[in-house]
Amino acid sequence: MGGTETMMAGTAASAAPLELSLQGALNLALDEILAEDPKALVLGEDVGTLGGVFRVTSGLAGKHGAARVFDTPLAESGILGMSIGLAMAGFHPIPEVQFDGFAYPAVNQIVCQLGRMNYRSRGTLPMPVTLRVPSFGGIRAPEHHGESLEALFAHVPGLKVVSPADPQQGYTLLKAAARMPDPVIFMEPKSRYWQKGQVITESGLDDGGKSPVADGAAGARIARPGRHLTLVAWGAMVARCLQVAELAAEDGIDVEVLDLRWLKPIHADALAASVGKTRRAVVVHEAPRTSGLGAEVAQIITERCFGTLKAPVERVTGFDVPYPSGDLEDEYIPNIDRILFGIQRVLEYKRG
Amino acid sequence: MQTSVQRTTTRGRAGLAGAPRAPLAELPAVEPVTGNELVELYRLMTAVRHLDLAAISWQRQGIVPAYAPELGQEAAQVGSALAVDPKRDFVFPTYRELGVALACGVDMVEYMSTHKATWHGGLWNPAETHVAPIQAVVAGSVLHAVGWAHGQTLEAQGELPADGYNIAVTYLGDGASSQGDVHEAMNFAAVFNAPVVFFVQNNGWAISVPTEKQVAGGSVATRGAGYGIPAIQVDGNDAPAVLTATRRAVAHARAGHGPAIVEAMTYRRGPHATSDDPGRYRSLEDERADAGADPIARLREGILTAGAATAAELDAADAAGAAEAERVRAGVIDLRPRPGTEMFDLVFQEPTDELQRQKANWQEETELREESDHE
């Protein structure tokens, strides 16, 4: 997982990129995974005939068979527990919990079982399970349909956590996660499902016979280069930070946006390289502030860049409140103004 | 519109009134237990008894920090395990399954390592032995068995193999049956028609809470009907009866008829664990009255009556078990802590850079500490 900050940009494409939504890119990735890996299985609530409530699994059951893409009863602990048993039987399950908040009923299986089985069995029972979790808020959904669980999952030993920010990331990271021999929590920003972007697929790459996805999916990524300050974000917040950077540029502030991608392991070298250059950082996340991942990111930056920092690392986050109803969502999720205020605080910081 | 309403009404009514349901399948009959099998049961049960009692004394002697005894459950454990083929099937034990592990061929020093605090889950290789590692969350592995079993039907692409499906056997207790995961597992197993046997050891106690305050209705087996899963309740102190009941359940699952439940009514004669004090919640008198006949004495009596072996032959089996416990004792004493590097190396198949950094830091500081200790 060492990885570099750049990914597919440098790889020569032999076919035109596809214009896909994040949902479509994830669907394509699952389709290819099921075609390539006869041990891959997709399971969860409504993932079969319906194709998932966000249609990410649309058409897969028809194409790959109802045995490989199947609906389960409505029980998240059951979905995860079953996936663990399937992995013990040599399969590569890709379970879905329908919404982030419904991962809570499965936490026992995720924390006590999924994250520990490789360790407990001394490496003899690997857990190549990719848990897809439609994540974060921004769609005015009912309670438990918009939560930011990354700190909870990242804190659990034995789990890896990743969140794509756009269609290309969705495609690349999901293919990479599904090929990993370890459990990956794959947090899909549901507010971005319908945003389109260009996707270079593996079949469209002139890769000289070597798949670029594994390398291209490692570590963090510079979503926008800049000189004055680094905005660190992941998932749905990357797009917002890119908007903020455009606005800041109008005021002559050149903001770099670092798409962290992997929330565990965090790509510390990428953080150090970016903040080492800009000397200022703001971490942006939707999750509540206290013990959030922003604290971890800020500490990594402090350890790596203490001598060069011009200001303490700032956090712009959700609040320490239960994720609010749709009407208050825009007050809770870091908006453009709050992020700009954060940038301002860092730029205007004076040593006391 | 009219048609649609009618259809809905019909469906609703059928559901409410109880649509005609298939009667619960009869579990298939199996061959009677042979004389040789009776002796094999005796050999394994006495070996378990010696080891189990020895482990309690090892705890008192400070050789192991803690142990969860299974005194009185030898018939339930050995009887059920002998119905399983660990070469093809997969067993999902709890932390009280010494007898199951022994009957399935797990090395007993590697088994005891978990109680010696050498490695959570034990040192045996679950992939090779087909006995899953120990874990402490009750009912935690019951769902894994359902997943593994469903994997067998997927592997066979839904076509029943000539020798039937490989089956999963999952062990749980009356206490575990209160966990939601057991409901989810039974429901999933029935929905997927998974070849899994739920083997319930109802030993009367969930630590200090008796079955009547733990299991509504007093029996786990009766719940099977609600899931459409056939179930047998069996005298868990009667080893050949347990073997027969489990074989019937295994035959049912192997033949592609889906899950089955066996509930062995037994009794936990000792404490829940070596740190437990049963005197606080039951009297010795109750214990003697409720436990019934010792399953080993009972089996011995049966074997002698049937003439399957002589008393001298049974005594020899008993002595072999005692000697084996001594050998295991020596092995447990010789167990050394695992290298600290394993703590880092076995978390992932592909360790993260951060974990490698933590490992390097730990190694460096360990070496410095050792150097200063030498000075």
Side-chain angles (χ1 to χ4, degrees), chain A residues 246-329:
Chain A
E246 290 301 316
L247 290 169
E250 292 172 11
D251 293 333
I253 303 162
D254 191 12
V255 171
E256 178 149 305
V257 178
L258 186 79
D259 173 6
L260 201 57
R261 303 205 299 181
W262 288 91
L263 311 179
K264 187 181 181 180
I266 287 175
H267 191 190
D269 290 348
L271 283 172
S274 176
V275 183
K277 179 180 70 179
T278 63
R279 307 179 74 178
R280 294 179 174 93
V282 177
V283 196
V284 180
H285 64 64
E286 287 188 33
R289 169 171 303 221
T290 300
S291 300
L293 216 56
E296 182 69 31
V297 170
Q299 176 60 17
I300 292 171
I301 293 170
T302 305
E303 286 173 13
R304 296 290 194 103
C305 306
F306 183 70
T308 53
L309 278 177
K310 287 196 166 172
V313 179
E314 183 73 26
R315 287 183 284 169
V316 179
T317 69
F319 305 113
D320 290 357
V321 301
Y323 215 99
S325 268
D327 282 354
L328 289 172
E329 211 174 31

Side-chain angles (χ1 to χ4, degrees), chain B residues 186-209:
Chain B
M186 287 182 178
N187 191 47
F188 272 55
V191 165
F192 290 109
N193 207 43
V196 56
V197 173
F198 298 93
F199 191 87
V200 186
Q201 286 174 86
N202 189 332
N203 69 9
W205 294 95
I207 305 191
S208 65
V209 177

Side-chain angles (χ1 to χ4, degrees), chain A residues 30 41-45 47 57 72 76 78-84 86 92-98 114 128-134 184 186 188:
Chain A
L30 286 171
L41 301 170
V42 168
L43 65 152
E45 294 158 22
V47 299
T57 58
T72 65
E76 287 76 15
I79 293 166
L80 268 295
M82 181 172 201
S83 296
I84 291 165
L86 284 163
H92 299 160
I94 309 175
E96 173 185 305
V97 296
Q98 211 155 60
L114 181 64
V129 175
T130 302
L131 169 60
R132 290 185 37 250
V133 187
V184 179
F186 192 86
E188 298 169 3

Side-chain angles (χ1 to χ4, degrees), chain A residues 3-11 169 212-223 258 261 267 270:
Chain A
T4 56
E5 295 143 52
T6 54
M7 47 164 302
M8 296 185 152
T11 316
Q169 304 304 313
V213 162
D215 291 340
R221 157 190 91 105
I222 302 288
L258 186 79
R261 303 205 299 181
H267 191 190

Side-chain angles (χ1 to χ4, degrees), chain B residues 14-101:
Chain B
L16 286 172
R21 293 178 50 162
L24 283 185
E26 269 292 307
L27 295 179
V30 293
E31 295 290 317
V33 175
T34 67
N36 283 344
E37 286 168 345
L38 288 176
V39 176
E40 178 65 359
L41 282 169
Y42 186 84
R43 185 183 74 75
L44 290 166
M45 283 165 64
T46 49
V48 171
R49 173 68 59 89
H50 283 294
L51 208 48
D52 186 57
L53 292 176
I56 297 167
S57 54
W58 301 342
Q59 193 274 330
R60 306 295 186 232
Q61 295 160 23
I63 298 172
V64 301
Y67 178 69
E70 62 137 287
L71 187 66
Q73 295 180 223
E74 297 87 353
Q77 296 201 0
V78 172
S80 58
L82 272 192
V84 182
D85 180 356
K87 284 188 192 67
R88 58 180 301 199
D89 303 329
F90 212 108
V91 169
F92 296 80
T94 76
Y95 46 77
R96 200 190 296 288
E97 253 70 80
L98 168 69
V100 176

